[in-house]
């Protein structure tokens, strides 16, 4: 397995040193050092960018970085390959567009908030109130760098599968609409607190954030003590339903009869030249905005079926993921050794190999996470299968994040043989019509690990 200029794998002995660490959140004011230069992250306050705004960012990425952009697992935009000398001119170029960028505490809303009549409420209103309250707090809150709050209005493109410290989910109850508050994890694993009326929920969240401020910058949502909070809410019990995997690629119909064109990024990245071509075509088709979407992609609303199909066909020609059936949709990869000093292997080359060798395992029912190191940047939430870089090979994590202890190890040169063994197991044991996820879940981590070790 080879990617051309870089080996697929490197050992701890030739691991370059860089100032990367878990917990750092790069921004225009705080770029992060990676293996291919400095990286910055942008969060549009509205969640959307016009084609002209996105094109301006792509041009700046080409001029001041290495021309590679990414959409993260949480739906943020990253620019790679900057230097200490080019961060400031890039910042000036971005601000010259007039884009309103979110700063401070990450308060996240679903990508289609305010667009789909199927959602219970427009989450952006409550999110704006919460951001204003945090900004007005004196003294300013000092919180963990990656602390996040999700405000989900209950639409079809939810953030249920995204990890958050505090989660607010719009919920209908007997007397109206409230906000179900839970702490830590995904919607499935979060600890339920209570169901609050909208008039009360900002105050309750601020009390929790002040508590975290008092505990220091390492405190997270899981550390919040809810026993001293005023009991102003209704009782709330989580349904613990498994969140569906929502991938951007394809056509997504809305309740009003319009459609959203969804595009995924192959291996989570896009070259600035390809993004500029896409923006030009979008402008020609009178696209109003691009919404950044979780799971590494864009959602383009406001189109009729004809124009949406035209845009998808054009984007597929540029290498974007435009079909939900593309096996690459099921693979989450970080930059790997080509772009990160912490990574142990070429994640992109490994992804191409797995897509070629075992497409049946990538049927869209689960995520396969290839993480160059245990930080798990490309897929912070647990994945059914994760191959994580280790000094002498790959660690296999089943039903967990990349940071969990592996259930098995695979030698660096044996990954193709190992996954073929897993494919043989699934082919033998899968019931008719059963998904890869269902089959692998039924088999369990011990049998999966044994298959990968060829036992």
């Amino acid at each position: 397995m080879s990617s051309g200029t870089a080996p697929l794998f490197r050992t701890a002995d030739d691991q370059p040193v860089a100032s990367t660490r878990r917990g750092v959140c790069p921004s225009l004011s705080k770029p992060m050092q990676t293996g291919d230069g400095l990286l910055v992250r942008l969060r549009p306050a509205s969640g959307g960018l016009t084609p002209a705004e996105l094109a301006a960012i792509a041009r700046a990425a080409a001029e001041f970085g290495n021309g590679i952009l990414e959409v993260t697992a949480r739906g943020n935009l990253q620019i790679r390959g900057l230097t200490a000398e080019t961060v400031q001119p890039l910042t000036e170029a971005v601000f010259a567009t007039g884009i309103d960028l979110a700063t401070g505490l990450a308060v996240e809303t679903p990508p289609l908030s305010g667009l789909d009549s199927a959602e219970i409420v427009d989450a952006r209103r409550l999110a704006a109130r919460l951001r204003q309250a945090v900004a007005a707090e004196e003294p300013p809150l000092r919180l963990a760098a990656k602390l996040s709050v999700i405000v989900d209005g209950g639409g079809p493109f939810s953030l249920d599968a995204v990890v958050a410290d505090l989660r607010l989910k719009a919920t209908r109850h007997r007397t109206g609409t409230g906000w179900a508050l839970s702490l830590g994890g995904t919607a499935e694993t979060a600890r339920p607190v209570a169901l609050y009326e909208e008039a009360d929920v900002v105050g309750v969240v601020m009390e929790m954030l002040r508590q975290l401020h008092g505990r220091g910058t390492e405190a997270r949502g899981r550390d919040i003590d809810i026993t001293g909070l005023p009991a102003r809410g209704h009782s709330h019990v989580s349904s613990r339903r498994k969140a569906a995997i929502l991938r951007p690629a394809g056509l997504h119909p809305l309740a009003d009869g319009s459609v959203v064109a969804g595009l995924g990024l192959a291996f989570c990245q896009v070259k600035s030249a390809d993004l500029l071509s896409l923006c030009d075509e979008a402008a020609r088709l009178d696209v109003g905005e691009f919404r950044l979407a979780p799971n590494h992609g864009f959602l383009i609303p406001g189109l009729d079926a004809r124009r949406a199909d035209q845009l998808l066909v054009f984007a597929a020609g540029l290498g974007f993921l435009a079909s939900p059936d593309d096996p690459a949709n099921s693979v989450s990869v970080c930059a790997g050794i080509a772009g990160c000093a912490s990574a142990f292997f070429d994640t992109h080359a490994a992804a191409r190999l797995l897509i070629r060798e075992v497409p049946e395992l990538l049927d869209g029912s689960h995520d396969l996470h290839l993480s160059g190191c245990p930080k798990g940047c490309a897929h912070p939430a647990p994945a059914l299968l994760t191959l994580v870089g280790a000094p002498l090979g790959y660690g296999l994590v089943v039903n967990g994040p990349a940071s969990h202890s592996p259930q098995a190890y695979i030698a660096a040169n044996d990954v193709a043989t190992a996954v073929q063994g897993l494919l043989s197991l699934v082919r033998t044991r899968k019931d008719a019509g059963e998904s890869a996820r269902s089959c692998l879940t039924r088999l369990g981590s011990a049998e999966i690990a044994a298959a990968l070790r060829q036992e």
Side-chain angles (χ1 to χ4, degrees), residues 19-27 30-33 41 145-146:
S19 58
T20 57
R21 68 179 179 86
R22 187 170 177 82
V24 170
C25 250
S27 64
K30 296 180 180 179
M32 186 176 74
Q33 182 67 51
R41 182 175 299 162
K146 287 185 176 262

Side-chain angles (χ1 to χ4, degrees), residues 4-190:
T5 59
L8 175 60
F9 208 90
R10 66 174 168 216
T11 68
D13 294 334
D14 59 6
Q15 190 90 327
V17 177
S19 58
T20 57
R21 68 179 179 86
R22 187 170 177 82
V24 170
C25 250
S27 64
L28 283 172
S29 60
K30 296 180 180 179
M32 186 176 74
Q33 182 67 51
T34 66
D36 60 353
L38 295 171
L39 177 147
V40 297
R41 182 175 299 162
L42 313 178
R43 287 190 290 125
S46 67
L49 295 165
T50 67
E53 290 170 339
L54 188 56
I57 292 174
R59 284 192 290 269
E63 183 175 359
F64 303 114
N66 61 10
I68 294 177
L69 301 96
E70 298 171 327
V71 178
T72 70
R74 305 186 74 90
N76 296 314
L77 189 63
Q78 293 186 160
I79 299 172
R80 305 191 68 95
L82 300 164
T83 67
E85 294 73 29
T86 61
V87 170
Q88 184 58 34
L90 173 89
T91 301
E92 293 171 358
V94 171
F95 279 110
T97 65
I99 299 169
D100 185 15
L101 296 178
T103 58
L105 176 66
V107 181
E108 301 168 335
T109 56
L112 298 181
S113 288
L115 295 176
D116 193 350
S117 58
E119 64 186 349
I120 297 173
V121 295
D122 182 350
R124 296 176 301 173
R125 180 181 61 193
L126 178 58
R129 287 178 52 212
L130 184 54
R131 292 190 190 101
Q132 291 166 2
V134 171
E137 185 75 4
E138 290 292 343
L141 295 171
R142 296 180 69 250
L143 303 167
K146 287 185 176 262
L147 194 84
S148 64
V149 179
I150 280 177
V151 184
D152 194 327
F157 224 98
S158 76
L159 298 182
D160 285 353
V162 177
V163 173
D165 291 274
L166 290 84
R167 181 182 304 275
L168 294 164
K169 184 71 176 277
T171 305
R172 290 190 176 93
H173 55 79
R174 287 181 300 173
T175 60
T177 300
W179 291 91
L181 174 61
S182 55
L183 303 177
T186 64
E188 181 189 15
T189 62

Side-chain angles (χ1 to χ4, degrees), residues 309-400:
D309 190 59
Q310 283 182 269
L311 187 62
L312 291 180
V313 170
F314 183 86
L318 295 172
F320 288 88
L321 305 179
S323 168
D325 298 325
D326 193 321
N329 286 306
S330 299
V331 184
S332 293
V333 300
C334 62
I337 59 174
C340 182
S342 299
F344 283 101
F345 71 101
D346 186 337
T347 54
H348 292 199
R352 286 190 289 269
L353 180 142
L354 295 177
I355 290 169
R356 182 178 71 248
E357 297 291 331
V358 290
E360 292 172 64
L361 292 180
L362 307 174
D363 62 357
S365 64
H366 69 99
D367 286 318
L368 173 63
H369 181 197
L370 301 178
S371 185
C373 77
K375 290 191 293 184
C377 298
H379 197 291
L384 179 60
L385 295 176
T386 297
L387 292 178
V388 57
L392 297 177
Y394 305 84
L396 169 71
V397 178
V398 181
N399 280 325

Side-chain angles (χ1 to χ4, degrees), residues 212-281:
L212 292 175
H213 167 82
R215 292 185 173 213
T217 56
E218 298 299 316
R220 303 298 296 266
R222 59 182 175 269
D223 303 316
I224 293 174
D225 181 5
I226 65 174
T227 57
L229 294 172
R232 291 179 290 197
H234 307 280
S235 61
H236 164 51
V237 178
S238 172
S239 64
R240 300 290 186 186
R241 290 184 301 174
K242 187 71 179 179
I245 299 175
L246 299 175
R247 308 186 195 279
L251 289 176
H252 307 279
L254 298 185
D256 64 0
S258 66
V259 295
V260 173
L263 298 173
L265 303 188
F267 309 144
C268 313
Q269 295 184 340
V270 60
K271 295 179 180 178
S272 57
D274 294 329
L275 189 54
L276 283 167
S277 296
L278 178 68
C279 289
D280 287 344
E281 178 68 4

